[in-house]
Amino acid sequence: MGGIEWDALLLSLKVGAASTALCLPFAIGVAWLLSRSRLPGRALLDGIVHAPLVLPPVVIGYLLLISLGTRAPLGAWLKSTFGIQLIFTTEGVVVAAAVMAFPLMVRAIRLSLDSVDRGLEVAARTLGASRLDVLFSVTLPLMLPGILSGAMMAFAASLGEFGATITFASNIEGETRTLPLAIYTATQTPDGDAIALRLVALSMALAVAAITLSEWLHRRTQRWLGRH
Amino acid sequence: MIELNFGRKLGALDLQVDVTLPSRGVSALFGRSGAGKSSLINAVAGIVRPDHGRIRVGERVFYDHDSGTDLPIEARGIGYVFQDARLFPHLSVAGNLRYGLKRARGTHTVGWDSVVEVLGLDHLLDRRPWNLSGGERQRVAIGRALLRQPSLLLMDEPLASLDAPRKAEVLPYIERLAREFALPVLYVSHSIEEVTRLADHLVIVSEGRTVASGELSDIMSRPEHAPLIGRYEAGSVLDCTVLQHNDDYALTTLRFADGQLRVPRIDLDPGAPVRVRIRARDVALALSRPMDVSIVNKLPGRVQQITPRDGPYADVTVDLGSRTLRALITRESCDRLGLQPGTPVWTMVKSVALDSRSVGFSRRPRSASPAQAPDLPQKPGAPAEAD
């Protein structure tokens, strides 16, 4: 493998990990709101969260561009306050991947939260645990299989994100050119077929590894909870 | 004292509770399924919120509608044993036991070692809950609730989900815990068998209302409660002590205030307190001392009260001296024998009817009861028919 493949692979792994980590706390919070709260705007929130699943990725990328670009108020504020610029940067790729992967993670976590036996939470409270204590000592551990498979799914989806990334963060080598963008670039380059094929093989190997790991983790945690 | 005076409408159920329970011993809440027993203890636990009234346990007010007091579940200091154990699957048995212990405030009166010993949990500590049998699970759940250092233990049909052998396995542990740990227990059950083995105080719950409350033997002996208890299960409860065993015939002789009873052998040392439930339908009556019958349990007394029932039955309460015994006979027999309040009669109970399901530990010696004093002289006029 040459430099192009390595750069793309490392960047993709970095983006996948960062986007998964960024999604996780918000996904748990949103799953909680959707599953447990009696929030008045619940249906609306549900719709917004799931929009990236049904909208063309380019649309998401464009929406990100007009809201977080350096000339948009939010983007300008981010830049002046924290010195963070999202367009044309790896951070921007992370945000685009996170937005696209978010609904997948929320779905998996929400399902696991729905399957948590409320009776166990009541039992924990009779044993002296406050609501917050119950969340950390009972609810989250019981959600672990769903949290892990949600995280793996978000990671895999982030690796493959293309449309929103190229629209929002552009295609800059070493900065925003992840595996799919590198494949696209190779196919647009004369004599790029060999590179493209190697990148495709790499992507497939990564996908298989991610799915295998996800299945294994899921089985392990389910067994840990005594579900077979 | 435990003061429960509250109400709550829950769908079709209109829960109206008004009872005062002793702050020691086991108080059973007995009633059919759907009578509101579980909702009642859930209100005590803080899981169900009443819409009016007051819940007070000792000095602590759990709920008071007028002053707006409503302690959250975790602040009530109660232990709760659920019908379905509800062990945490992500923790080992030891982790489950420690869960409440770690969060217990104040002085710890229930020790780890005593709980593990009394409930026989030693060899289970490293196991995971889903590897346990139903009976083991329930024992762990009881231990977990005790180690939480509760000031009141709530048990919601802890045996109902177990099959008969598992029930027989867990019941002695519950009998023991009420003796070993001085702790008031509210025990919900629809099984009169469990209630008579475990309870000191009985509350009958029917259609959301607490219709009777009092000392177990007292409530059980009143014929007006028979329809609520069930015609086939209603009867009397006698506190006895083991007198002696007859190994040749595998029989045990028990003594109570008004005489003796012979029952199939029970494995307890002489002097041990036991409680015997005698179903009214297992008691026959005779006008004179019956001779030439196989029945050995023959006790003389006087008819105290006759309550005709629907159909062919009549409930007869016989005063044996200091205790009463209830007999369910036909109205026809009642008329044929010319029974009236005051008529002297002999009561007869087959030993065979008093099997292990009817005989259990008496959990705490009652100093007021002469039956508990083994060296008390036999009352004259109470012949030891069992000899």
Side-chain angles (χ1 to χ4, degrees):
Chain A
M1 280 197 311
I4 294 172
E5 291 90 332
W6 264 120
D7 285 353
L9 174 66
L10 286 181
L11 184 64
S12 284
L13 290 175
K14 213 164 83 180
V15 165
S19 124
T20 306
L22 181 64
C23 280
L24 199 55
F26 296 104
I28 292 173
V30 168
W32 184 277
L33 287 177
L34 291 178
S35 170
R36 294 286 177 88
S37 79
R38 266 176 245 152
L39 201 71
R42 237 177 52 171
L44 185 67
L45 178 67
D46 205 12
I48 293 172
V49 165
H50 284 89
L53 278 185
V54 288
L55 283 173
V58 184
V59 171
I60 298 297
Y62 188 70
L63 288 174
L64 285 172
L65 196 61
I66 58 172
S67 58
L68 294 172
T70 37
R71 259 171 285 165
L74 192 55
W77 176 77
L78 274 178
K79 178 136 192 189
S80 63
T81 317
F82 301 103
I84 298 174
Q85 183 187 320
L86 293 179
I87 51 167
F88 312 133
T89 63
T90 309
E91 286 80 11
V93 184
V94 170
V95 169
V99 169
M100 294 303 293
F102 194 65
L104 292 172
M105 194 186 254
V106 169
R107 280 178 88 86
I109 292 177
R110 185 183 170 178
L111 275 179
S112 72
L113 179 57
D114 285 342
S115 72
V116 168
D117 179 358
R118 304 289 289 263
L120 291 175
E121 297 176 328
V122 172
R125 294 196 64 201
T126 67
L127 293 164
S130 66
R131 283 175 195 277
L132 194 67
D133 188 355
V134 171
L135 173 65
F136 284 100
S137 62
V138 176
T139 316
L140 285 174
L142 293 177
M143 287 165 67
L144 199 61
I147 290 175
L148 286 176
S149 61
M152 284 310 293
M153 229 186 287
F155 180 76
S158 298
L159 289 182
E161 213 305 304
F162 178 81
T165 306
I166 202 162
T167 314
F168 178 51
S170 180
N171 184 1
I172 302 164
E173 191 181 345
E175 193 70 43
T176 70
R177 188 173 294 165
T178 54
L179 274 174
L181 272 68
I183 294 171
Y184 171 74
T185 309
T187 58
Q188 302 298 304
T189 317
D191 309 321
D193 284 356
I195 295 179
L197 270 176
R198 281 203 292 277
L199 288 167
V200 165
L202 205 55
S203 295
M204 287 166 74
L206 262 183
V208 171
I211 288 172
T212 313
L213 183 66
S214 162
E215 279 295 304
W216 180 78
L217 274 174
H218 194 255
R219 244 179 304 129
R220 265 213 75 131
T221 47
Q222 289 283 23
R223 201 154 0 137
W224 174 66
L225 292 174
R227 306 174 192 149
H228 297 283
Chain B
M1 285 304 198
I2 299 167
E3 179 200 330
L4 309 176
N5 187 334
F6 61 91
R8 167 77 201 255
K9 269 195 93 78
L10 289 156
L13 180 73
D14 181 18
L15 192 62
Q16 294 296 336
V17 178
D18 184 10
V19 282
T20 303
L21 305 173
S23 48
R24 49 171 303 160
V26 178
S27 298
L29 301 173
F30 173 82
R32 302 205 176 106
S33 335
K37 312 181 292 289
S38 298
S39 305
L40 197 165
I41 68 164
N42 282 342
V44 177
I47 299 166
V48 166
R49 179 180 302 169
D51 33 43
H52 66 265
R54 205 168 128 87
I55 297 173
R56 185 172 62 87
V57 174
E59 296 306 306
R60 301 187 61 215
V61 176
F62 284 2
Y63 177 86
D64 186 355
H65 185 264
D66 296 338
S67 71
T69 308
D70 184 15
L71 290 187
I73 305 172
E74 63 270 23
R76 297 194 174 194
I78 44 116
Y80 199 136
V81 179
F82 299 89
Q83 183 176 336
D84 50 349
R86 300 196 188 177
L87 300 182
F88 303 127
H90 60 296
L91 300 176
S92 66
V93 167
N96 270 278
L97 292 175
R98 265 196 299 268
Y99 190 94
L101 185 62
K102 274 193 296 201
R103 290 164 173 82
R105 304 224 180 100
T107 46
H108 290 195
T109 51
V110 179
W112 177 274
D113 292 337
S114 59
V115 164
V116 169
E117 198 264 318
V118 168
L119 293 163
L121 303 176
D122 207 19
H123 64 291
L124 303 176
L125 291 175
D126 295 330
R127 303 254 298 270
R128 301 298 295 273
W130 30 272
N131 270 331
L132 304 177
S133 73
E136 288 168 339
R137 240 174 255 165
Q138 211 49 277
R139 273 151 55 197
V140 175
I142 294 167
R144 183 178 70 170
L146 286 172
L147 284 167
R148 183 251 184 287
Q149 315 294 331
S151 53
L152 171 67
L153 185 64
L154 307 175
M155 304 181 95
D156 186 8
E157 308 239 14
L159 301 178
S161 61
L162 305 178
D163 56 18
R166 296 286 89 72
K167 259 185 202 149
E169 168 203 326
V170 179
L171 198 57
Y173 289 105
I174 299 180
E175 288 180 320
R176 231 186 122 185
L177 81 89
R179 260 181 306 166
E180 303 266 330
F181 307 103
L183 180 70
V185 179
L186 280 192
Y187 189 97
V188 165
S189 180
H190 66 264
S191 151
I192 199 69
E193 230 178 278
E194 278 169 46
V195 168
T196 37
R197 273 185 72 168
L198 295 171
D200 306 299
H201 191 96
L202 177 62
V203 177
I204 299 180
V205 183
S206 176
E207 288 166 7
R209 268 146 227 273
T210 47
V211 290
S213 168
E215 206 187 311
L216 175 87
S217 45
D218 189 36
I219 297 287
M220 293 283 284
S221 66
R222 282 199 244 144
E224 66 264 31
H225 297 141
L228 296 164
I229 293 168
R231 178 184 293 142
Y232 291 104
E233 292 300 331
S236 324
V237 174
L238 298 175
D239 285 312
C240 307
T241 47
V242 175
L243 190 63
Q244 64 194 47
H245 299 293
N246 182 337
D247 290 325
D248 287 345
Y249 290 110
L251 293 170
T252 296
T253 306
L254 307 176
R255 179 158 73 181
F256 73 106
D258 299 315
Q260 297 183 357
L261 286 172
R262 193 174 291 177
V263 300
R265 192 189 153 101
I266 50 174
D267 284 328
L268 286 174
D269 292 333
V274 292
R275 179 179 278 175
V276 182
R277 177 169 64 101
I278 304 174
R279 287 178 296 196
R281 65 176 174 135
D282 292 329
V283 178
L285 299 178
L287 285 179
S288 57
R289 178 175 180 158
M291 309 299 277
D292 303 331
V293 291
S294 66
I295 294 170
V296 289
N297 293 318
K298 290 173 270 185
L299 299 159
R302 267 171 205 286
V303 173
Q304 193 178 58
Q305 190 183 356
I306 300 170
T307 315
R309 293 252 160 265
D310 294 341
Y313 305 106
D315 231 314
V316 181
T317 307
V318 178
D319 182 4
L320 298 178
S322 58
R323 304 278 145 194
T324 57
L325 195 59
R326 284 174 50 195
L328 183 69
I329 60 176
T330 58
R331 282 190 286 118
E332 193 231 347
S333 298
C334 201
D335 289 344
R336 191 163 38 80
L337 297 178
L339 297 182
Q340 298 288 336
T343 312
V345 287
W346 285 79
T347 59
M348 294 177 286
V349 188
K350 286 186 75 171
S351 299
V352 172
L354 304 176
D355 57 12
S356 60
R357 285 154 40 109
S358 324
V359 181
F361 293 104
S362 177
R363 292 173 322 77
R364 64 183 165 88
R366 243 173 273 206
S367 50
S369 162
Q372 301 299 333
D375 51 353
L376 198 85
Q378 275 286 150
K379 266 184 58 181
E385 282 290 326
D387 278 335

